[in-house]
Amino acid sequence: MRKIRIVLVGLGVALVACGGGPKNIEGTLSAPSGGSVRGSIVAVCPVEGGRISCDDPRAKQVEVNASGRSAPYKVEGLEDASYAVAALRDNDGDGQLGEGDYFGYYGYPDDPKAVKPPATGINVQMQVLSRQNRMSLPFGAW
């Protein structure tokens, strides 16, 4: 719902639309064939000057708790900015991305695409990381 602010202009009154709708990014997260999205993290990281920064205080992440090969995700309360969207699942629990873990980003296999909220249909397909599948990790620290 849009907020309306009343602004006094001289002796008249002007109505000014403010705020706009929610600033969310949402879509579907998918795991590789035979895998599950449960326990995956979806991160949205600001993009400025062609640089993706997950260390930025505007970056947000959500954990996907649904079972199955795919599930919806929604990252809410974002600021007006461009964001890259990525997802990972640390399958071996070592706190690092490595062989056997899942990783993907919006725009894969090309460069990550910047997204401005509100945005829907931002689907991310994760891939299994392996020696043969050396996916470039264009993101800053998680």
Side-chain angles (χ1 to χ4, degrees), residues 25-30 37 39-45 60-64 71-75 84-89 104 122 124 126 142:
I25 293 176
E26 56 189 290
T28 300
L29 176 63
S30 299
V37 295
S40 297
I41 302 294
V42 177
V44 295
C45 303
K60 291 194 175 199
Q61 62 184 36
V62 295
E63 184 172 352
V64 176
Y73 74 87
K74 182 187 236 181
V75 182
V85 180
L88 65 91
R89 182 170 178 214
I122 308 304
V124 177
M126 294 186 292
W142 290 81

Side-chain angles (χ1 to χ4, degrees), residues 21-25 44-49 51-53 56-60 75 77-85 113-119 122:
K23 303 272 191 290
N24 303 330
I25 293 176
V44 295
C45 303
V47 179
E48 289 183 317
R51 185 174 176 272
I52 299 168
S53 176
D56 189 292
R58 296 170 295 172
K60 291 194 175 199
V75 182
L78 298 167
E79 294 184 23
D80 263 337
S82 292
Y83 294 89
V85 180
K113 293 180 183 176
V115 177
K116 285 191 151 212
I122 308 304

